[in-house]
Amino acid sequence: VLLLAACSGASPSTVDPKGSESREIAGVWWLMFGVGVVVYVVVAGLVIRAATRGRRHARRESRISDAAFIWIGGIIVPALILLGLGVVTVTTSNAIRQPDSRALRVEVTGVRWWWQVRYPDEGITTANELHVPVGRPIQIRLGSRDVIHSFWVPQLAGKVDTIPGQPNTLRFTAETAGTYLGECAEFCGLQHAHMGFAVIAESPGAFGRWAAREARPASEPTSELAARGEMVFVRSSCAGCHTVRGTPAAGDVGPDLTHVGSRGTLGARAVTNTPDHLAHWIRAPDFFKPGVLMPTHQISGDDVDAVVAYLEAQR
Ligand SMILES: [Cu+2]
C-alpha cells in the first residue's frame, strides 16, 4: 500500500527535474542513492558471510586484523564517503545560488493560506500562480506575512522557507514549458494542505503577452449583470480585503482579484476556477477550506450571480 501511494502520476517528483537547479539537485540525489546502494550491498554481504561462515572457520586467522578492519571499514571509508558527498553538496548548493543580472525578479509572500505573487518591474500583483518565461533565470524573493511557510516546486528548485522579517532568495530556470505544481512545505495551520500554487513556464512571447495583460487594470464591465456585480463588490466588505485595480477596491488582506478570471484555480488550488465554484466560494469559502480567513457572507443569490459575472470576466 505504501508503494502504491507513490504511484499517482499527478504528484510532482524531485527526480523528474524540469529546471536547471532541480536537475543539479537530482544529480546529487542520484549520487547519494548510488553510494548508499553500494554501501548497503557491501555491508549486507559481510553480514551474510559472517552469519553463514559457521564455527568451523571461526578460528582460522583472517588476513586483516580486527583492529584494522574497524579502522578501515568503520572510520576511514565512511569518513571519505561523507567528505566526498559533503564537497559535492556544498559545491552544488553554491552553484545554484549564483545571482544573475538578467534574472526576472519576482516577490512571493506566504500568507495563511495562499501566496501573493508580485513582479515589481512589470507592475503585476496576482496570487497562487507564477508565470515564467522558459530559459530565463528567475529570482524569487520569499517573505511571509504571518508564520513560517515553505515554497516548494519539486520539479524546478529546492525547498526554501518563507520567514517573517527574514527574506530568502530562490533561483531557478525552467527548461521546458509546462505547468509545475508547488506546495507549502512547512505546516502552517488548518489549511496548510490547501496552500498550493502553480508555476506556468511558457515561451518568452506567451509570457510577454500574459505580463502585458496582467499589468493592465480591470476591464469595464460589459454586461448589466457584471456592472451590478462591480457595484456590489466595491460597496460591500469585499473591497476592504481585496484589490481590483482600476476600482476603489484596494484591500490587501486577500488575493488581488484584478485578473482573477484568468487564473486556473481558486483558494490556492483548493478548487478549479469555474463560475459554479466561484459562486460557492463567495457564499461559503469555508465549504472548500474549513477555517479559511475569508468570512462567510450573507449575500443574496442575485448579488452572488452578479459578482460572479463581474469577477469571471476579469481576464
Ligand atoms: Cu503554509
Side-chain angles (χ1 to χ4, degrees), residues 17-50:
K18 298 287 190 228
S20 47
E21 287 68 14
S22 50
R23 190 172 303 287
E24 305 242 351
I25 295 171
V28 175
W29 190 87
W30 282 113
L31 176 71
M32 288 185 171
F33 181 69
V35 171
V37 167
V38 171
V39 169
Y40 179 80
V41 167
V42 169
V43 172
L46 288 174
V47 169
I48 290 169
R49 183 160 169 270

Side-chain angles (χ1 to χ4, degrees), residues 113 149 184 186 188 192 195:
W113 288 281
H149 304 275
C184 175
E186 179 73 47
C188 58
H192 166 65
M195 190 168 160

Side-chain angles (χ1 to χ4, degrees), residues 7-314:
C7 285
S8 156
S11 43
S13 166
T14 43
V15 289
D16 179 21
K18 298 287 190 228
S20 47
E21 287 68 14
S22 50
R23 190 172 303 287
E24 305 242 351
I25 295 171
V28 175
W29 190 87
W30 282 113
L31 176 71
M32 288 185 171
F33 181 69
V35 171
V37 167
V38 171
V39 169
Y40 179 80
V41 167
V42 169
V43 172
L46 288 174
V47 169
I48 290 169
R49 183 160 169 270
T52 56
R53 203 160 60 141
R55 285 174 182 281
R56 216 153 29 87
H57 302 285
R59 258 179 236 108
R60 200 201 293 158
E61 274 299 307
S62 160
R63 256 163 293 152
I64 52 175
S65 74
D66 290 354
F69 187 75
I70 289 171
W71 268 100
I72 295 169
I75 296 172
I76 296 173
V77 171
L80 286 176
I81 290 175
L82 291 180
L83 189 72
L85 292 180
V87 168
V88 172
T89 305
V90 170
T91 45
T92 305
S93 354
N94 274 342
I96 62 181
R97 291 206 173 90
Q98 287 313 310
D100 189 325
S101 56
R102 296 175 309 134
L104 173 70
R105 295 197 303 144
V106 188
E107 293 171 4
V108 173
T109 306
V111 190
R112 282 178 303 170
W113 288 281
W114 57 283
W115 302 90
Q116 185 187 60
V117 178
R118 295 185 57 243
Y119 294 68
D121 300 325
E122 282 75 13
I124 295 170
T125 304
T126 179
N128 306 325
E129 247 183 45
L130 282 81
H131 284 242
V132 299
V134 169
R136 178 163 173 201
I138 312 297
Q139 174 179 313
I140 303 183
R141 191 183 147 97
L142 291 167
S144 167
R145 203 185 271 179
D146 36 49
V147 299
I148 298 178
H149 304 275
S150 189
F151 183 92
W152 193 29
V153 197
Q155 286 180 285
L156 293 177
K159 183 194 297 178
V160 176
D161 281 4
T162 72
I163 301 167
Q166 165 62 60
N168 280 331
T169 305
L170 174 71
R171 297 187 171 87
F172 68 82
T173 309
E175 293 174 330
T176 324
T179 298
Y180 305 112
L181 300 184
E183 303 286 347
C184 175
E186 179 73 47
F187 181 71
C188 58
L190 270 183
Q191 283 301 322
H192 166 65
H194 283 139
M195 190 168 160
F197 58 99
V199 176
I200 295 149
E202 52 201 1
S203 70
F207 171 77
R209 284 192 292 282
W210 174 82
R213 194 159 40 77
E214 204 69 20
R216 283 203 289 269
S219 46
E220 290 291 322
T222 50
S223 70
E224 217 170 290
L225 188 65
R228 200 159 68 75
E230 181 181 51
M231 213 137 76
V232 172
F233 187 90
V234 168
R235 288 189 186 163
S236 72
S237 63
C238 315
C241 287
H242 292 286
T243 293
V244 176
R245 276 171 283 139
T247 76
D252 193 31
V253 178
D256 186 302
L257 299 178
T258 310
H259 297 285
V260 65
S262 72
R263 301 208 273 269
T265 65
L266 296 173
R269 271 197 21 236
V271 285
T272 50
N273 185 2
T274 64
D276 211 32
H277 284 156
L278 181 57
H280 274 81
W281 176 275
I282 293 170
R283 256 189 245 110
D286 243 46
F287 178 74
F288 297 123
K289 286 180 91 162
V292 70
L293 298 179
M294 168 165 158
T296 295
H297 287 82
Q298 301 301 330
I299 171 169
S300 81
D302 287 351
D303 281 353
V304 171
D305 290 346
V307 172
V308 168
Y310 172 60
L311 289 180
E312 286 291 0
Q314 299 304 340

